[in-house]
C-alpha cells in the first residue's frame, strides 16, 4: 500500500537520480521499460482524478436505508468527461522519461544510475561529465578462447592453464596497471613531471580529459583465484564491458594461456554504491521515490564538478603502445576479432617480451631516458626487489607504502612519498636494506606521480 | 510524394529552424504550407475536433503535427505564432490521449509554467467554437480542401435522416470529426450509464466500429437487453463493466444469439454458475460459434484423453483456453512432450492442474525446465506436482534457489526434513518467501541479489 493518496503528488516527486542494481541477462533498455511500466502501474493505482478523491467525503451516514451496499451518487459527478473510465489511465509509459548514464551490457549486472524527469536528466548529464570512477568485479575462466570473449561464444582455442599461479596473475595485473598509469597521464593532458601532476595526484585520481576516449584502468587486483576461475577487481574510467572482456582475454594471453570472461559486476559507480542500489524486486513507486530523495545528497556541486578540472587541457598524441589496450585493438568487436586474432596475438607477444625484458633487467640508478617513458615522472617510486622478504616494507617509517603484487622472485612495490625531498632518502633506505639482506637487490624500475584509488575517491 | 508536398516538407524544416532561432514572422510564413503537407499525410492533430477550423478562423493560426521522425513535439500555436501555446509530446497522436494529457498537465502546471501552458485561452476558443453553424463548417471544409481523418474518427453525418436516429446530438457536433468519445460523454446519457456500470470507454473506443455504434444506440432500447441477459445468467452487476471493457464486440451482439450459445453450454452440462464465472473471466467465448466451441472441446478431449467431466473442469479453471487456437495448443504439447519428455499421463495431469501452461512460450518453458532439472536436480515427477513453476519467471526461480542454496535450505525432497515445495519457492511476495521458506530478513535476500 502506497503512502500517497494523490497520484500527481507522487508523479512530481519522480524527478531526480535513481540508483538501481541492473540484473543479469536483461539489457538496459528493457530495465528502463520495466521501470516505466511499474511506475505507471503504481501511479495509476492511486487516485488520479478529482472524482476519485472527492467521493468519500460526500458519503454520509446512512440513516434511512437498511441495505449495506454503498452506492455512488451519480449526481456527485459534475463532469462525466473527467471520469477515469472515459479518459483512461492518467499516466502512460511515455509520461515517464528515464535517461541512463554509462550503461552496462546485457550479460553484466551491477549499479546503474538513471535520471528521472527534467532534473534527473540534467543531473545525469552532470554525472556523465564528472567521469566518476567505476569499480568492477570481473570474473574470468582459463582454458579456452571464444570469438566474443564470453563463455557462450564460438570456441576458437583450447589451452592448458596449469602453469598459472596467483603470483603470475598478479604480476601481469601489476604490469597492466603500470602501463595504464602512463596512459592516465596522457589522457589527462597533464605533464607527469610537473607540480600540477603532483597536486592532482595528491588530491585524488587523475581523470581523463574527455569522455568516451580510450579506457583507463586505475587499479587491477586479483581478489580471488581458484583455477580455472579468477576474479579481478578493476577500478576504471571510460571503459566498456566489451573492453573488460577483451582485457581478460589479453591478460590470459600474457600468461601463455587463454581465458573467457564469465561475469562482469559493477559494484560502484562514483558515489553510488551497492548500498543505495535497488534490486529488481524493490522497483516500486515508494522505494523509488525514497531512493531519489536519498540520492539528492550526492548531487552536491563539489561532487558533480569533480571531472571538470580536466576539461580545459589538450591531449597530446598517443606516444606509445601500452599493455592491455593498444590503439590497433580499439575497433575489435565481435566478428572482426577472429580475423585479427592471429595478428593481435603477435603484437601482444612483442609487447609482452619488451615489458618482460624491462622488468627482468632493472638496474640501480637506471637512467630515466632509457625507459620507454620519454619524460620521467617524479615523486613516487616503483621498486623491484629481487627477493622474497615479506613485511620488508613495514620497516620503513614515514612512508605510505603498499605492495602491488607479491611475486615468487620479484616483489614489485611502490612507495608513495609525500614530497620530493624524501625521494633520495627513500632510495638510500632501499639500498641500505639491500645491503643488510644479502639475498636481494633493489632497483628502481621507474618513478611516477601516482594517485591512489583506495581512498574515498569517486 | 507529390512535388508540391516535397516542397512543403522543406518548408517544414525551415519552420523548425526559424522557430528554434526565434524568427517568428518567418515561421509564420512557412507554417501554412506545412499544415497542408501534414494534413495530406494524415498526420493531423485534431485538437478538439477540427483543427483546420481553428486555423481558418485565426483562433488557431496553425496546428502542426510532426511525426516521430522529425521531432518530439507537436507544436500548437494559438493566436499569434509567436505565442507557442502547448508543446505536446508526439506520441499523443490520438485526440483522447491529448485531451487527457492536456487536462492532467494544465492542472499540475498552471501555476508553475504560466507562459507555456495557458489553459484558459484554450477553453475560451472551445466555447466560441460551439456556436458555429454546420453550414459554415461544411463551407470551410470545402474551401480548405482538407482530407479529413475518417478512419480514426467518427464520420460526419450530414443527412437529416441520420440525425433523427441520434437522440442527443445536434448537427454541428456530429459534423466535426473526433478521435474519441470524450466530447460526447457530457451530453450522452447512454455513455454516462455505461460509465456508471463500469465500462471503460477509453478502451472500448479503440475497437473498430464500436464508438460509432455506442453513439448511435439508445441505452434502454439497444444495450439494456445485453445487460439483462448477463444478469439472467447470474453475472453480478459489478463485473458487467469489466466484461464489456474486455470484450467490446459484445455490444454488437444480439441477446438472442448469446442465449443460443449459453444454451449450447448448458446442453454440454455446464452449470449456470460455471458459465457466469467463465463469462467474467473470459467473455470472448460468448462470441464463439457453437460449432467451433464444440470442435474446441472435442479437440481438448481427444488430444489429452479427457473424460467429459475433466473437459468441463479444464474449461472452468481456465476459460481462456477455449478461444485459443488449436494448432498452438497442439504445438506446445508436442514441444514439451518431445523436448522435456513428459509422458501422456503427465501431460494430462498438467492440463488438469495448470491449463494456462499450454498457452505459454514453449521455448521459455523448456529453458526453465532445463534449469529445474539440471541445476536444481528435480525430476519430471516433482515438476508435475506443481506445474505452475514452468510458467513462473526465470529470475524468481534462479535468485530464490541460489539464496536457499547459500543458506543451506535448498532441499526439494519431500521425504526429508526442511522440505521446500516448488509452490512455496516460486509463489508469494519476497516478504512471504523470506518469512516462510528462507526464515530470514528480506533485506538479507536483497543483499544477496546484489551479489549475483
Amino acid at each position: 500500500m502506497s503512502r500517497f493518496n494523490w497520484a500527481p503528488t507522487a508523479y512530481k516527486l519522480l524527478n531526480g537520480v535513481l540508483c538501481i542494481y541492473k540484473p543479469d541477462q536483461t539489457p538496459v533498455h528493457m530495465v528502463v521499460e520495466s521501470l516505466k511500466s511499474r511506475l505507471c502501474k503504481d501511479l495509476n493505482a492511486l487516485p488520479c482524478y478529482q472524482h476519485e478523491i472527492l467521493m468519500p467525503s460526500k458519503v454520509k451516514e446512512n440513516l434511512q436505508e437498511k441495505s449495506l451496499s454503498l452506492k455512488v451518487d451519480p449526481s456527485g459527478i459534475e463532469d462525466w468527461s473527467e471520469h477515469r473510465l472515459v479518459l483512461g489511465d492518467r499516466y502512460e509509459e511515455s509520461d515517464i522519461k528515464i535517461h541512463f548514464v554509462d550503461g552496462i551490457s546485457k550479460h553484466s549486472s551491477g549499479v546503474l544510475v538513471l535520471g528521472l524527469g527534467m532534473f534527473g536528466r540534467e543531473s545525469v548529464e552532470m554525472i556523465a561529465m564528472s567521469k566518476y570512477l567505476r569499480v568492477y568485479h570481473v570474473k574470468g575462466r582459463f582454458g579456452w578462447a571464444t570469438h566474443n570473449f564470453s563463455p557462450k561464444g564460438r570456441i576458437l582455442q583450447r589451452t592448458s592453464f596449469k602453469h598459472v599461479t596467483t603470483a603470475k596473475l598478479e604480476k601481469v595485473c601489476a604490469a597492466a596497471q603500470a602501463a595504464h598509469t602512463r596512459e592516465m597521464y596522457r589522457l589527462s593532458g597533464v605533464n607527469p613531471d610537473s607540480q600540477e601532476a603532483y597536486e592532482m595526484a595528491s588530491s585524488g585520481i587523475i581523470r581523463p580529459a574527455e569522455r568516451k576516449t580510450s579506457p583507463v584502468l586505475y587499479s587491477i587486483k586479483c581478489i580471488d583465484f581458484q583455477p580455472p576461475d579468477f576474479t579481478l577487481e578493476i577500478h576504471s574510467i571510460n571503459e566498456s564491458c566489451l573492453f573488460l572482456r577483451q582485457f581478460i582475454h589479453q591478460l590470459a594471453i600474457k600468461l601463455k594461456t587463454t581465458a573467457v570472461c564469465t561475469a562482469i559486476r559493477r559494484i560502484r559507480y562514483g558515489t553510488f554504491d551497492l548500498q543505495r542500489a535497488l534490486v529488481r524486486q524493490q522497483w516500486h513507486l515508494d522505494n523509488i521515490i525514497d531512493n531519489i530523495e536519498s540520492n539528492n545528497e550526492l548531487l552536491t556541486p563539489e561532487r558533480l564538478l569533480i571531472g571538470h578540472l580536466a576539461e580545459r587541457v589538450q591531449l597530446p598524441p598517443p606516444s606509445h603502445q601500452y599493455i592491455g589496450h593498444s590503439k590497433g585493438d580499439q575497433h575489435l568487436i565481435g566478428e572482426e576479432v577472429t580475423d585479427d586474432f592471429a595478428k593481435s596475438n603477435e603484437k601482444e607477444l612483442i609487447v609482452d617480451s619488451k615489458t618482460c625484458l624491462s622488468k627482468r633487467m632493472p638496474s640501480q640508478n637506471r637512467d630515466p631516458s632509457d625507459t620507454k617513458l620519454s619524460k620521467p615522472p617524479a615523486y613516487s617510486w616503483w621498486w623491484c626487489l629481487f627477493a622474497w622478504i615479506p613485511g620488508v616494507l613495514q620497516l620503513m617509517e614515514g612512508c605510505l607504502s603498499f605492495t602491488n603484487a607479491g611475486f615468487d622472485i620479484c616483489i614489485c612495490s611502490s612507495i608513495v612519498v609525500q614530497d620530493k625531498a624524501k625521494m633520495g632518502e627513500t632510495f638510500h633506505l632501499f639500498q641500505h636494506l639491500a645491503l643488510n639482506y644479502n639475498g636481494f637487490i633493489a632497483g628502481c624500475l621507474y618513478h611516477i606521480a601516482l594517485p591512489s584509488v583506495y581512498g574515498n575517491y569517486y | 510524394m507529390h512535388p508540391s508536398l516535397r516542397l512543403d516538407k522543406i518548408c517544414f524544416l525551415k519552420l523548425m529552424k526559424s522557430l528554434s532561432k526565434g524568427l517568428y514572422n518567418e515561421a509564420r510564413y512557412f507554417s501554412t504550407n506545412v499544415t497542408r503537407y501534414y494534413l495530406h499525410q494524415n498526420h493531423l492533430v485534431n485538437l478538439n475536433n477540427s483543427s483546420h477550423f481553428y486555423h481558418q478562423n485565426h483562433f488557431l493560426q496553425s496546428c502542426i503535427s510532426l511525426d516521430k521522425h522529425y521531432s518530439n513535439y507537436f507544436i500548437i500555436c494559438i493566436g499569434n505564432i509567436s505565442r507557442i501555446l502547448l508543446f505536446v509530446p508526439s506520441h499523443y497522436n490520438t485526440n483522447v490521449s491529448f485531451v487527457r494529457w492536456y487536462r492532467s498537465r494544465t492542472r499540475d502546471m498552471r501555476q508553475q509554467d504560466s507562459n507555456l501552458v495557458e489553459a484558459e485561452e484554450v477553453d475560451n476558443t472551445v466555447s466560441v467554437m460551439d456556436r458555429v453553424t454546420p453550414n459554415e463548417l461544411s463551407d470551410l471544409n470545402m474551401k480548405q480542401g482538407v482530407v479529413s481523418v475518417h478512419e480514426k474518427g467518427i464520420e460526419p453525418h450530414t443527412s437529416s435522416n441520420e440525425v433523427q436516429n441520434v437522440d442527443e446530438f445536434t448537427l454541428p457536433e456530429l459534423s466535426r470529426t473526433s478521435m474519441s468519445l470524450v466530447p460526447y460523454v457530457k451530453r450522452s446519457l447512454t455513455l454516462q450509464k455505461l460509465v456508471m456500470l463500469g465500462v471503460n470507454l477509453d478502451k472500448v473506443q479503440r475497437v473498430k466500429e464500436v464508438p460509432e455504434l455506442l453513439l448511435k444506440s439508445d441505452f434502454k432500447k439497444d444495450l439494456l437487453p445485453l445487460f439483462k441477459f448477463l444478469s439472467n445468467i447470474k453475472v453480478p452487476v459489478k463485473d458487467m463493466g469489466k466484461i464489456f471493457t474486455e470484450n467490446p464486440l459484445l455490444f454488437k451482439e444480439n441477446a438472442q444469439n448469446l442465449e443460443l450459445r449459453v444454451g449450447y453450454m448448458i446442453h454440454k452440462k455446464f452449470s449456470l454458475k460455471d458459465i457466469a464465472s467463465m463469462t467474467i473471466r473470459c467473455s470472448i467465448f460468448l462470441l464463439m460459434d457453437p460449432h467451433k466451441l464444440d470442435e474446441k472441446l472435442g479437440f481438448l478431449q481427444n488430444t489429452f484423453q479427457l473424460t467429459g467431466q475433466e473437459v468441463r473442469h479444464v474449461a472452468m479453471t481456465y476459460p481462456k483456453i477455449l478461444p485459443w487456437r488449436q494448432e498452438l495448443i497442439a504445438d506446445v504439447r508436442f514441444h514439451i512432450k518431445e523436448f522435456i519428455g513428459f509422458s501422456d499421463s503427465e501431460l494430462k495431469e498438467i492440463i488438469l492442474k495448470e491449463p494456462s501452461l499450454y498457452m505459454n512460450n514453449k521455448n521459455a518453458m523448456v529453458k526453465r525446465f532445463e534449469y529445474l532439472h539440471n541445476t536444481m536436480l528435480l525430476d519430471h515427477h516433482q515438476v508435475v506436482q506443481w506445474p505452475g513453476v514452468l510458467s513462473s519467471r526465470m529470475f524468481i526461480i534462479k535468485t530464490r534457489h541460489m539464496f536457499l542454496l547459500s543458506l543451506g535450505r535448498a532441499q526439494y525432497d519431500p521425504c526429508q526434513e526442511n522440505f521446500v515445495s516448488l509452490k512455496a519457492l516460486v509463489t508469494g511476495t519476497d516478504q512471504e518467501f523470506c518469512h516462510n521458506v528462507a526464515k530470514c530478513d528480506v533485506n538479507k535476500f536483497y543483499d544477496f541479489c546484489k551479489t549475483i
Side-chain angles (χ1 to χ4, degrees):
Chain A
M1 195 59 203
S2 179
R3 61 170 190 259
F4 296 99
N5 50 15
W6 178 231
T9 324
Y11 179 74
K12 273 179 205 162
L13 292 173
L14 289 175
N15 199 12
V17 175
L18 173 67
C19 176
I20 59 161
Y21 188 85
K22 186 190 96 73
D24 200 5
Q25 308 298 329
T26 321
V28 174
H29 72 92
M30 292 297 286
V31 167
V32 169
E33 288 300 307
S34 127
L35 271 171
K36 280 182 183 174
S37 65
R38 280 176 193 226
L39 281 175
C40 282
K41 205 174 145 198
D42 287 355
L43 281 172
N44 287 326
L46 298 171
C48 292
Y49 293 98
Q50 284 293 330
H51 71 94
E52 287 169 4
I53 51 167
L54 289 180
M55 287 322 285
S57 63
K58 291 202 172 180
V59 175
K60 288 171 190 168
E61 200 180 354
N62 197 346
L63 298 173
Q64 286 90 31
E65 284 186 39
K66 293 282 166 70
S67 81
L68 285 171
S69 66
L70 183 86
K71 278 182 189 167
V72 174
D73 182 14
S75 63
I77 297 173
E78 285 128 24
D79 188 2
W80 278 98
S81 54
E82 285 229 4
H83 202 276
R84 185 196 280 256
L85 293 178
V86 178
L87 288 178
D89 288 333
R90 181 160 182 169
Y91 295 98
E92 290 177 340
E93 292 186 13
S94 47
D95 287 330
I96 294 165
K97 292 271 192 294
I98 300 183
H99 303 264
F100 62 89
V101 58
D102 291 323
I104 38 181
S105 72
K106 183 186 171 189
H107 297 290
S108 18
S109 58
V111 179
L112 183 68
V113 178
L114 305 160
L116 267 78
M118 205 57 173
F119 178 65
R121 185 187 171 173
E122 284 163 9
S123 314
V124 156
E125 278 166 13
M126 294 287 281
I127 288 170
M129 294 294 280
S130 61
K131 289 164 291 207
Y132 280 149
L133 186 75
R134 301 135 211 184
V135 188
Y136 289 88
H137 279 183
V138 184
K139 283 183 186 167
R141 177 170 288 181
F142 289 120
W144 74 89
T146 56
H147 77 291
N148 59 357
F149 315 121
S150 82
K152 284 179 183 173
R154 185 154 41 85
I155 296 179
L156 300 177
Q157 195 180 2
R158 279 190 184 278
T159 44
S160 114
F161 51 89
K162 277 179 188 167
H163 59 280
V164 181
T165 58
T166 322
K168 279 181 185 166
L169 182 59
E170 281 175 352
K171 184 180 157 189
V172 175
C173 288
Q177 186 185 336
H180 270 278
T181 312
R182 264 172 278 154
E183 179 66 6
M184 173 182 85
Y185 281 106
R186 189 181 72 74
L187 289 173
S188 68
V190 77
N191 184 359
D193 204 10
S194 61
Q195 181 66 19
E196 196 190 353
Y198 169 69
E199 276 163 12
M200 278 169 83
S202 59
S203 66
I205 57 170
I206 298 174
R207 286 166 215 277
E210 282 171 20
R211 216 170 156 250
K212 294 184 177 165
T213 49
S214 47
V216 189
L217 307 186
Y218 289 86
S219 146
I220 303 153
K221 246 172 75 175
C222 177
I223 52 170
D224 185 33
F225 184 68
Q226 292 164 343
D229 294 304
F230 62 97
T231 310
L232 302 182
E233 188 177 275
I234 298 180
H235 290 60
S236 59
I237 290 181
N238 275 347
E239 82 301 320
S240 66
C241 287
L242 181 68
F243 168 76
L244 292 175
R245 275 189 253 148
Q246 199 180 337
F247 178 75
I248 293 285
H249 170 77
Q250 286 166 347
L251 197 81
I253 284 176
K254 266 178 211 83
L255 288 164
K256 309 273 188 293
T257 176
T258 49
V260 289
C261 175
T262 47
I264 299 177
R265 189 173 147 244
R266 188 197 271 169
I267 55 166
R268 189 156 71 86
Y269 182 91
T271 43
F272 300 91
D273 53 4
L274 276 181
Q275 292 297 318
R276 290 181 184 276
L278 293 179
V279 291
R280 172 154 41 179
Q281 291 92 329
Q282 290 170 312
W283 295 347
H284 293 294
L285 184 66
D286 284 30
N287 288 333
I288 285 173
I289 287 173
D290 288 343
N291 192 273
I292 286 172
E293 269 172 34
S294 74
N295 284 341
N296 276 342
E297 70 192 42
L298 298 181
L299 304 176
T300 52
E302 69 267 20
R303 284 192 172 97
L304 285 178
L305 295 172
I306 198 159
H308 286 244
L309 188 67
E311 292 284 311
R312 285 164 288 163
V313 287
Q314 277 198 332
L315 294 187
S319 55
H320 61 278
Q321 235 181 8
Y322 59 97
I323 300 173
H325 181 88
S326 53
K327 190 124 178 75
D329 289 345
Q330 273 182 12
H331 63 276
L332 289 187
I333 27 171
E335 289 296 323
E336 287 177 11
V337 177
T338 51
D339 305 334
D340 292 343
F341 194 71
K343 271 189 210 168
S344 66
N345 270 3
E346 270 174 33
K347 219 187 287 173
E348 285 307 322
L349 284 173
I350 296 163
V351 177
D352 197 13
S353 60
K354 270 187 197 169
T355 42
C356 286
L357 212 66
S358 62
K359 278 268 174 192
R360 279 172 195 153
M361 299 194 303
S363 60
Q364 277 189 340
N365 298 329
R366 190 190 179 102
D367 185 11
S369 59
D370 278 353
T371 58
K372 273 198 273 178
L373 213 65
S374 55
K375 286 178 184 171
Y379 309 118
S380 175
W381 293 55
W382 284 67
W383 292 93
C384 232
L385 306 182
F386 278 73
W388 176 248
I389 312 278
V392 69
L393 294 171
Q394 290 169 14
L395 295 173
M396 284 169 283
E397 289 176 13
C399 289
L400 174 65
S401 62
F402 55 89
T403 309
N404 271 313
F407 299 142
D408 296 348
I409 312 160
C410 165
I411 302 175
C412 183
S413 304
S414 74
I415 302 175
V416 177
V417 193
Q418 297 293 340
D419 80 70
K420 200 179 178 181
K422 279 189 186 171
M423 214 160 72
E425 196 184 314
T426 321
F427 181 69
H428 286 298
L429 182 65
F430 258 100
Q431 275 189 328
H432 188 64
L433 273 170
L435 290 175
N436 279 357
Y437 291 85
N438 283 330
F440 79 99
I441 313 150
C444 167
L445 194 62
Y446 53 90
H447 34 222
I448 196 164
L450 178 78
S452 165
V453 288
Y454 294 103
N456 277 326
Y457 296 122
Y458 37 83
Chain B
M1 195 190 288
H2 193 265
S4 70
L5 288 173
R6 194 174 297 133
L7 193 72
D8 292 343
K9 193 176 172 184
I10 296 166
C11 281
F12 159 68
L13 293 171
K14 284 183 179 169
L15 167 77
M16 289 311 292
K17 215 172 183 180
S18 50
L19 273 179
S20 64
K21 284 181 183 170
L23 303 170
Y24 294 114
N25 280 332
E26 208 179 312
R28 187 174 184 171
Y29 171 72
F30 289 123
S31 64
T32 348
N33 281 337
V34 174
T35 322
R36 203 174 77 206
Y37 167 65
Y38 276 94
L39 286 174
H40 193 89
Q41 296 283 307
N42 268 351
H43 285 307
L44 166 74
V45 63
N46 212 336
L47 174 67
N48 270 6
N49 309 343
S50 56
S51 67
H52 47 274
F53 193 50
Y54 288 122
H55 179 84
Q56 192 65 26
N57 279 283
H58 303 285
F59 290 116
L60 186 67
Q61 271 284 345
S62 81
C63 166
I64 309 154
S65 89
L66 319 176
D67 68 14
K68 275 180 186 168
H69 306 293
Y70 294 109
S71 166
N72 287 328
Y73 297 109
F74 291 126
I75 300 174
I76 295 161
C77 312
I78 288 197
N80 193 341
I81 198 157
S82 62
R83 303 182 65 198
I84 296 171
L85 192 82
L86 293 163
F87 282 89
V88 186
S90 67
H91 43 263
Y92 289 97
N93 49 7
T94 60
N95 202 10
V96 56
S97 44
F98 170 68
V99 169
R100 178 170 61 227
W101 178 87
Y102 160 62
R103 281 178 195 279
S104 59
R105 278 321 137 92
T106 42
R107 216 169 290 131
D108 294 346
M109 293 168 61
R110 199 174 290 172
Q111 280 83 29
Q112 297 174 8
D113 246 348
S114 55
N115 48 359
L116 191 67
V117 179
E118 291 173 358
E120 259 71 32
E121 199 165 314
V122 177
D123 284 341
N124 289 341
T125 49
V126 171
S127 62
V128 173
M129 293 314 305
D130 286 341
R131 278 182 250 125
V132 182
T133 62
N135 289 334
E136 278 174 31
L137 186 96
S138 53
D139 285 347
L140 290 174
N141 274 343
M142 294 289 285
K143 278 180 208 165
Q144 194 81 2
V146 169
V147 186
S148 52
V149 191
H150 282 312
E151 69 270 18
K152 284 181 183 171
I154 298 162
E155 288 186 23
H157 308 280
T158 40
S159 70
S160 56
N161 290 339
E162 271 181 299
V163 179
Q164 285 168 0
N165 293 341
V166 182
D167 50 355
E168 293 286 325
F169 298 106
T170 51
L171 196 59
E173 279 165 287
L174 288 176
S175 342
R176 292 192 219 139
T177 54
S178 168
M179 289 190 167
S180 78
L181 286 173
V182 178
Y184 302 103
V185 174
K186 226 170 181 174
R187 308 269 190 88
S188 164
L189 277 177
T190 313
L191 294 179
Q192 284 179 19
K193 274 189 178 145
L194 287 177
V195 171
M196 276 186 243
L197 281 162
V199 178
N200 194 336
L201 294 183
D202 176 48
K203 285 190 178 151
V204 164
Q205 71 189 352
R206 293 176 197 189
V207 179
K208 208 178 168 186
E209 295 177 19
V210 171
E212 290 89 336
L213 182 90
L214 287 183
L215 273 184
K216 286 177 193 168
S217 56
D218 177 49
F219 185 78
K220 267 189 187 160
K221 209 173 77 190
D222 305 325
L223 303 180
L224 202 59
L226 290 170
F227 285 96
K228 271 188 179 164
F229 159 76
L230 285 181
S231 73
N232 280 345
I233 60 168
K234 304 275 164 48
V235 174
V237 182
K238 65 176 168 47
D239 291 322
M240 284 182 188
K242 181 177 164 267
I243 289 173
F244 282 100
T245 307
E246 284 174 359
N247 187 10
L249 292 175
L250 216 55
F251 283 123
K252 292 166 92 175
E253 281 298 316
N254 192 342
Q256 287 170 343
N257 267 342
L258 296 178
E259 272 168 30
L260 205 72
R261 284 161 203 176
V262 170
Y264 168 79
M265 297 298 278
I266 291 168
H267 171 69
K268 287 287 168 190
K269 293 177 189 167
F270 282 93
S271 71
L272 213 55
K273 201 178 144 197
D274 292 350
I275 294 169
S277 83
M278 281 165 75
T279 315
I280 293 164
R281 281 177 292 157
C282 173
S283 58
I284 299 171
F285 88 92
L286 284 181
L287 297 179
M288 282 173 77
D289 188 29
H291 295 290
K292 285 202 168 171
L293 202 57
D294 190 53
E295 204 180 307
K296 184 59 63 67
L297 292 173
F299 162 78
L300 288 176
Q301 185 160 22
N302 292 334
T303 328
F304 297 96
Q305 278 108 41
L306 305 174
T307 62
Q309 187 54 42
E310 283 165 346
V311 173
R312 275 188 289 277
H313 173 76
V314 169
M316 253 300 293
T317 45
Y318 202 74
K320 279 182 188 169
I321 206 167
L322 294 178
W324 203 251
R325 273 171 58 194
Q326 293 185 11
E327 307 90 73
L328 296 180
I329 297 173
D331 188 28
V332 172
R333 182 184 180 275
F334 175 80
H335 201 82
I336 59 176
K337 188 183 174 184
E338 297 300 325
F339 284 83
I340 296 181
F342 285 126
S343 66
D344 281 351
S345 64
E346 279 168 336
L347 290 173
K348 184 179 170 182
E349 208 175 329
I350 287 173
I351 200 170
L352 289 176
K353 281 181 177 167
E354 195 76 37
S356 65
L357 224 58
Y358 286 97
M359 291 159 69
N360 245 312
N361 182 352
K362 54 190 181 183
N363 294 325
M365 274 197 294
V366 172
K367 240 180 204 173
R368 281 172 209 132
F369 183 80
E370 266 174 17
Y371 187 81
L372 292 168
H373 192 63
N374 298 333
T375 314
M376 291 167 66
L377 304 175
L378 302 174
D379 56 13
H380 290 69
H381 178 70
Q382 276 168 302
V383 174
V384 171
Q385 291 302 310
W386 196 70
V389 73
L390 288 181
S391 63
S392 60
R393 294 187 65 183
M394 188 67 174
F395 84 92
I396 292 180
I397 308 175
K398 237 179 190 171
T399 48
R400 291 187 178 183
H401 167 67
M402 285 162 87
F403 183 56
L404 287 184
L405 212 61
S406 75
L407 293 177
R409 282 184 175 275
Q411 205 285 95
Y412 306 111
D413 186 2
C415 302
Q416 292 171 22
E417 58 185 23
N418 286 332
F419 164 63
V420 176
S421 77
L422 282 180
K423 193 178 180 184
L425 181 78
V426 170
T427 53
T429 60
D430 288 324
Q431 279 79 4
E432 285 164 10
F433 166 74
C434 288
H435 183 257
N436 298 331
V437 182
K439 318 239 186 259
C440 70
D441 191 40
V442 193
N443 291 326
K444 203 178 161 190
F445 176 52
Y446 290 154
D447 286 344
F448 177 80
C449 288
K450 287 179 193 173
T451 63
I452 299 168

